[in-house]
Amino acid sequence: MTTVGEAGWQVLTAHGIDTVFGNPGSNELPFLAAMPDGVRYVLGLHEGAVLGMADGYALATGGPALVNLHAASGSGNAMGALTNAVYSHSPLVLTAGQQVRSTVGQEVMLTNVDAAALPRPLVKYAAEPASAQDVPRALSQAVHTALLDPRGPVYLSVPYDDWSREAGPDTAHLPSRRATAAAELGEAALSELAGALAGAANPVLVLGPQVDADRANDHAVALAERLACPVWIAPSASRCPFPTRHPAFRGILPASVRDVSDRLAGHDVVLVAGAPVFRYHQWVPGDLLPAGTRLLHLTADPAEAARAPMGEAWVGPVGPALAALAGRVPASGREPLPPRSGPPAPRGAEDHVPPQQLFALVRDAAPAGTVHVCESTSTIDDFVAQADLTEPGSYLFPASGGLGFGLPAAVGAQLAHGEARRVVALVGDGSANYGITALWTAAQYRVPVVFVILKNGTYGALRGFAGLLGTGETPGLDVPGLDFVKISEGYGVPAVSVSDAASTAAALKDAFAADGPRLVEVVTAPGVA
Ligand SMILES: Cc1ncc(Cn2c(C)c(CCOP(=O)(O)OP(=O)(O)O)sc2=O)c(N)n1
Ligand SMILES: [Ca+2]
């Protein structure tokens, strides 16, 4: 007899799933008992960290990541991290244990009441199959839904007595099922886009995370060089789709209506590829576009195309479209953009390491191809000013700004990259607390992440917003007295605290040379104990 558990796992492993990120309760034990040899279980101590690790893993591999959570309480703890995964289009397959099928209506202890409603709208698909025999097919639907554009997280709640039931005879069809979407935009769309770009007097590219997720960075470079045009990263960047030292690179667009329009002024054609139009953040009203500017929007997500407040949108795979356009658009005849000067020389200080100096030290200490998982919300522009990112997948940031992403996602990304690429987490002393338990997983599984905590003793980004909003000194802006060395060592990760450039450089050198995780707490503001 084939059980539902055996059939379900056959579906999951047929899609290349070999790792489960989880935190179990009694409802999950029968699913885990059916887990076949060769599948690795990675335990996180809090479901927010579990989800963040799975997100980092999926963003790094591009493939699906399997998550197993405990009923409603576990799923609820993961929801904050889901706000990022849904906007980063992470193909996460969340499974949650449900109480015994016949007792759910009574709402016995550990019942996940109305389970399919719980994670919405943060998932593409959520269900609790109507019978045990439908569980393998529902798992197949979940995986295909997560992987089909626009990719995204899905959620399946399964009563724990289902797994031992006999699977139906039709489950044998499921492991070999494939679902393939259209490979690229149609001829008419590509011709219209190529014509508009070729006819532009002063085009500009605005690139989003989907370009990096599609590993299409080189195609974006080829198109920018054909057009001899500047390139911006779309506001609220969660990935880096373009080399940061390239002559065309201009930085991340500021995340307000007025500032975006100011940066696009003078350009007659704007191609936005692989990003929503736009992920504004600060409310600074202005014209959505400068007068006379035509915005062309290329996205894999119909919802992004439909909800944009301006421009003309085309829906299709972003990477292949950029490759096709780079091959179609003729050389513009404009002078190539001149090489940019190197990063600014960062200022130093006696009793702390200012952020740009720290980022320069990290750049100089990190091996080629290092992945930077960032979550220090007041220092993003400082990082970009100093960074030298060239390869796809080199930068990850929480796609909805939901904090608690940085430390866990760094662990997940390092698990994905293995020895091929090192991962450094650059996380603020505020953000670190939301996903702090990931340090335990890094220690237990010897995941060699370099964790750098930027200690300024405050919620720096909120202080910035207080200035913008004129709210003055509100409560809840400072986070004094945190000792990340003691916290880190309490979770099993060796740590050191530094407050000058020389000690920081030495600590980073040691950390990147270590064969296990290391944490470096860096004092980045004056007067911080
Ligand atoms: C889960 C969660 N809680 C609270 C916030 C609000 N928040 C908070 C609390 C920020 C401050 C983060 O401080 P930090 O120390 O990590 O970094 P900076 O000091 O560089 O801003 S930025 C921000 O949007 C959030 N985005 N996500
Ligand atoms: Ca801070």
Side-chain angles (χ1 to χ4, degrees):
M1 172 188 95
T2 300
T3 66
V4 168
E6 289 163 343
W9 273 107
Q10 284 165 10
V11 169
L12 294 171
T13 52
H15 286 282
I17 288 174
D18 61 5
T19 301
V20 189
F21 295 91
N23 186 280
S26 51
N27 290 1
E28 290 68 50
L29 299 182
F31 171 67
L32 298 178
M35 189 170 82
D37 294 341
V39 176
R40 168 179 58 171
Y41 186 86
V42 178
L43 176 61
L45 298 185
H46 183 282
E47 292 85 353
V50 169
L51 211 290
M53 289 191 288
D55 197 357
Y57 187 87
L59 292 170
T61 61
L66 180 61
V67 179
N68 186 237
L69 302 174
H70 180 50
S73 55
S75 301
N77 281 347
M79 298 273 271
L82 261 182
T83 64
N84 294 318
V86 70
Y87 278 101
S88 57
H89 293 298
S90 300
L92 305 184
V93 179
L94 280 71
T95 54
Q98 174 62 287
Q99 253 291 8
V100 168
R101 184 174 283 279
S102 61
T103 69
V104 171
Q106 306 163 41
E107 296 188 15
V108 297
M109 195 67 173
L110 300 187
T111 295
N112 191 347
V113 178
D114 201 356
L118 181 66
R120 292 192 185 114
L122 301 176
V123 290
K124 282 182 73 178
Y125 162 74
E128 184 167 293
S131 73
Q133 282 64 39
D134 192 40
V135 168
R137 188 212 55 77
L139 274 171
S140 174
Q141 178 176 355
V143 175
H144 288 302
T145 305
L147 290 173
L148 284 166
D149 277 345
R151 311 178 102 197
V154 297
Y155 182 86
L156 203 62
S157 167
V158 180
Y160 74 71
D161 57 323
D162 283 0
W163 299 112
S164 59
R165 304 260 187 229
E166 181 172 9
D170 300 333
T171 54
H173 293 282
L174 295 172
S176 60
R177 281 209 66 241
R178 293 187 303 154
T180 304
E184 67 173 12
L185 280 180
E187 176 57 36
L190 288 171
S191 298
E192 185 171 0
L193 284 166
L197 291 169
N202 187 8
V204 61
L205 299 184
V206 176
L207 304 177
Q210 197 60 48
V211 174
D212 190 57
D214 287 356
R215 273 75 174 152
N217 307 40
D218 289 345
H219 299 311
V221 167
L223 181 59
E225 289 177 353
R226 278 289 175 95
L227 293 168
C229 74
V231 175
W232 289 92
I233 297 182
S236 306
S238 62
R239 302 183 75 139
C240 183
F242 201 83
T244 55
R245 308 308 317 160
H246 188 280
F249 183 70
R250 293 294 179 272
I252 301 176
L253 277 175
S256 82
V257 171
R258 187 194 63 197
D259 292 330
V260 166
S261 266
D262 288 351
R263 299 301 189 283
L264 299 182
H267 293 290
D268 56 338
V269 174
V270 180
L271 174 66
V272 180
V277 171
F278 285 108
R279 293 274 280 166
Y280 302 114
H281 186 165
Q282 299 84 358
W283 173 242
V284 182
D287 295 330
L288 285 174
L289 282 175
T293 295
R294 184 183 180 195
L295 187 142
L296 311 174
H297 182 197
L298 178 56
T299 175
D301 186 348
E304 288 177 6
R307 68 171 182 261
M310 73 285 202
E312 305 151 73
W314 284 264
V315 180
V318 172
L322 283 179
L325 290 172
R328 286 168 178 255
V329 172
S332 67
R334 286 183 283 268
E335 278 298 310
L337 297 173
R340 292 170 55 227
S341 56
R347 70 176 177 80
E350 286 296 317
D351 66 343
H352 67 283
V353 184
Q356 284 218 25
Q357 186 180 41
L358 169 60
F359 295 137
L361 291 169
V362 169
R363 180 195 62 225
D364 298 344
T370 291
V371 175
H372 304 75
V373 182
C374 296
E375 194 173 61
S376 167
T377 41
S378 69
T379 63
I380 297 166
D381 290 341
D382 292 318
F383 174 76
V384 173
Q386 292 295 333
D388 182 359
L389 308 181
T390 55
E391 294 177 48
S394 294
Y395 175 82
L396 298 176
F397 184 86
S400 283
L403 302 180
F405 170 86
L407 297 184
V411 175
Q414 187 65 79
L415 281 169
H417 286 298
E419 296 186 3
R421 298 178 77 170
R422 287 303 295 271
V423 176
V424 61
L426 302 167
V427 178
D429 54 352
S431 297
N433 299 289
Y434 299 92
I436 197 73
T437 65
L439 294 177
W440 178 86
T441 302
Q444 291 296 313
Y445 294 80
R446 296 196 60 70
V447 187
V449 175
V450 176
F451 299 104
V452 177
I453 305 295
L454 286 83
K455 186 176 187 181
N456 60 9
T458 185
Y459 285 150
L462 299 194
R463 286 202 167 280
F465 256 96
L468 183 75
L469 300 175
T471 49
E473 191 62 26
T474 61
L477 296 183
D478 291 327
V479 284
L482 288 165
D483 183 332
F484 284 96
V485 172
K486 287 180 179 166
I487 291 169
S488 181
E489 290 177 344
Y491 280 112
V493 175
V496 65
S497 184
V498 293
S499 56
D500 64 85
S503 306
T504 301
L508 290 170
K509 184 174 179 223
D510 292 347
F512 279 110
D515 62 355
R518 292 293 185 275
L519 184 138
V520 182
E521 175 197 78
V522 184
V523 175
T524 57
V528 176

